[in-house]
Amino acid sequence: MKPLKKEDISQEVFDLYDYYAHNKIDRRQFVEKLSIYAVGGVTVSSLLSFISPDYINTAMVKPNDERLKSEYIEYESPKGGGTIKGLLSKPDEFKGKLPGIVVVHENRGLNPYIEDVGRRAALEGFITLAPDALSPSGGYPGNDDDGRAMQRQRDRNEMLEDFIAAYDYLSNHKDCNGKIGVVGFCFGGWISNMMAVRIPTLGAAVPFYGGQPNTEETAKIKAPLMLQFAELDTRVNAGWPDYETALKANNVEYTAHFYPDVNHGFHNNTTPRYDEKAATLAWERTMAFFKEKLK
């Protein structure tokens, strides 16, 4: 059987994966529904393998890249108890102090994709911190299914406090200039929006396909925003009209980009939802925005 390609997969399969990845259905239901699309010699196992993340062959910046100094650090968890582990990355050779970026994971802990994003941002001239909100439960378990299950056991507002503490950690770091932004994906997009609500001194926020604050929360935002949306992501996009109305009413500086014909998760290059053209453009815009607002 020839290898599957993205164009061989119907939109319904991507929508089904989105429901599964966001805990709308469990794995048994996902596999059961996936079988409907196993036709013409395509098996359920081949579909499942194709749509699942590939963390082995997709890293854009290797963990041992000589241009970077990356190390795991720990800081206190304000609400969750114990410490939070995070990947701290910065250019190996730099002069003076660097602006900082908190990199926030999806709903499954600090997996290799998010670590890679932290390293990518560091190569652009930032000191980055990618925390693992699963640390109080033992940390990212090595696979996304168990990671999602573990993250469901934590209160999302407690996790928000952990990411706010990451901002504080960078603020006090000897190599940081005190100007700090946040970028996050999915759950991390919601965290990015909420950090803008909670931190008056936040330098900039870039939520990728993230849930939105309510009207009262939006009124507290002081940071400039760059909002990245996927056109086919009807679940997240449903909240955009009310959010935009509140942003305008409160004179919040924002730019919103909608990328045509792409799915939720289009920036994540480990799954077939990835769209190289949209992801590259969104990342270029993100880095340019941080360089403008934080330097």
Side-chain angles (χ1 to χ4, degrees), residues 7 25 35 37 42 52 84 92 101 104 123 142 172 174 181 183 185 199 202 205 218 225 249 257 291:
E7 53 267 28
I25 56 176
S35 66
Y37 304 96
V42 177
S52 297
I84 298 295
D92 187 48
I101 300 175
V104 188
L123 281 180
N172 295 313
K174 63 181 179 61
V183 61
F185 306 85
I199 306 173
L202 185 71
T218 301
L225 307 176
H257 298 291
K291 288 174 183 178

Side-chain angles (χ1 to χ4, degrees), residues 1-290:
M1 185 180 70
K2 65 178 183 179
L4 287 175
K5 297 181 180 180
K6 187 175 181 178
E7 53 267 28
D8 298 328
I9 307 300
S10 70
Q11 181 59 39
E12 288 82 1
V13 171
F14 290 108
D15 293 340
L16 184 61
Y17 181 79
D18 187 72
Y19 292 142
Y20 169 59
H22 295 93
N23 303 312
K24 307 296 183 184
I25 56 176
D26 62 26
R27 185 176 179 83
R28 180 189 61 79
Q29 293 170 312
F30 174 56
V31 173
E32 185 177 279
K33 292 177 182 295
L34 200 61
S35 66
I36 298 172
Y37 304 96
V39 295
V42 177
T43 65
V44 171
S45 60
S46 64
L47 269 176
L48 189 61
S49 175
F50 179 73
I51 206 165
S52 297
D54 172 13
Y55 292 133
I56 297 175
N57 303 303
T58 52
M60 293 187 177
V61 182
K62 301 299 182 185
N64 60 350
D65 192 300
E66 293 182 353
R67 296 170 294 173
L68 294 174
K69 182 177 181 181
S70 291
E71 60 182 341
Y72 293 105
I73 57 89
E74 292 185 341
Y75 61 90
E76 292 300 315
S77 170
K79 299 289 186 179
T83 58
I84 298 295
K85 176 183 175 181
L87 181 67
L88 186 74
S89 302
K90 59 186 178 181
D92 187 48
E93 296 182 6
F94 69 94
K95 296 179 180 179
K97 294 179 179 291
L98 297 167
I101 300 175
V102 179
V103 180
V104 188
H105 59 68
E106 306 142 309
N107 65 335
R108 61 212 70 172
L110 182 59
N111 59 31
Y113 156 64
I114 297 296
E115 291 192 348
D116 189 37
V117 172
R119 293 191 295 269
R120 294 180 215 172
L123 281 180
E124 296 283 343
F126 299 92
I127 179 170
T128 68
L129 178 56
D132 186 357
L134 300 186
S135 298
S137 306
Y140 176 70
N143 70 84
D144 285 5
D145 282 345
D146 290 339
R148 278 190 292 269
M150 290 171 65
Q151 191 155 322
R152 285 199 302 270
Q153 303 306 309
R154 288 212 65 196
D155 179 270
R156 71 173 189 167
N157 290 305
E158 289 186 357
M159 289 187 281
L160 173 59
E161 298 297 333
D162 291 334
F163 288 104
I164 291 172
Y167 169 91
D168 294 335
Y169 180 94
L170 283 181
S171 295
N172 295 313
H173 196 282
K174 63 181 179 61
D175 295 326
C176 184
N177 69 2
K179 297 179 180 179
I180 298 163
V182 58
V183 61
F185 306 85
C186 184
F187 162 80
W190 176 78
I191 289 286
S192 299
N193 276 317
M194 293 306 298
M195 285 176 66
V197 171
R198 291 284 307 279
I199 306 173
T201 54
L202 185 71
V206 184
F208 275 72
Y209 26 84
Q212 302 91 4
N214 63 34
T215 300
E216 293 74 19
E217 291 166 336
T218 301
K220 300 176 182 178
I221 295 177
K222 304 299 182 186
L225 307 176
M226 176 174 283
L227 304 135
Q228 314 278 27
F229 293 102
E231 184 185 58
L232 302 178
D233 187 9
T234 56
R235 177 178 55 83
V236 168
N237 296 352
W240 170 239
D242 288 344
Y243 191 23
E244 184 176 35
T245 297
L247 290 171
K248 288 179 176 179
N250 291 282
N251 297 311
V252 177
E253 180 186 343
Y254 76 93
T255 303
H257 298 291
F258 282 78
Y259 298 86
D261 301 319
V262 300
N263 285 284
H264 181 101
F266 72 85
H267 182 267
N268 187 332
N269 65 311
T270 72
T271 83
R273 295 188 296 176
Y274 174 60
D275 186 282
E276 183 177 8
K277 182 179 178 181
T280 300
L281 177 57
W283 189 247
E284 289 174 349
R285 285 170 166 169
T286 298
M287 290 296 99
F289 182 66
F290 281 142

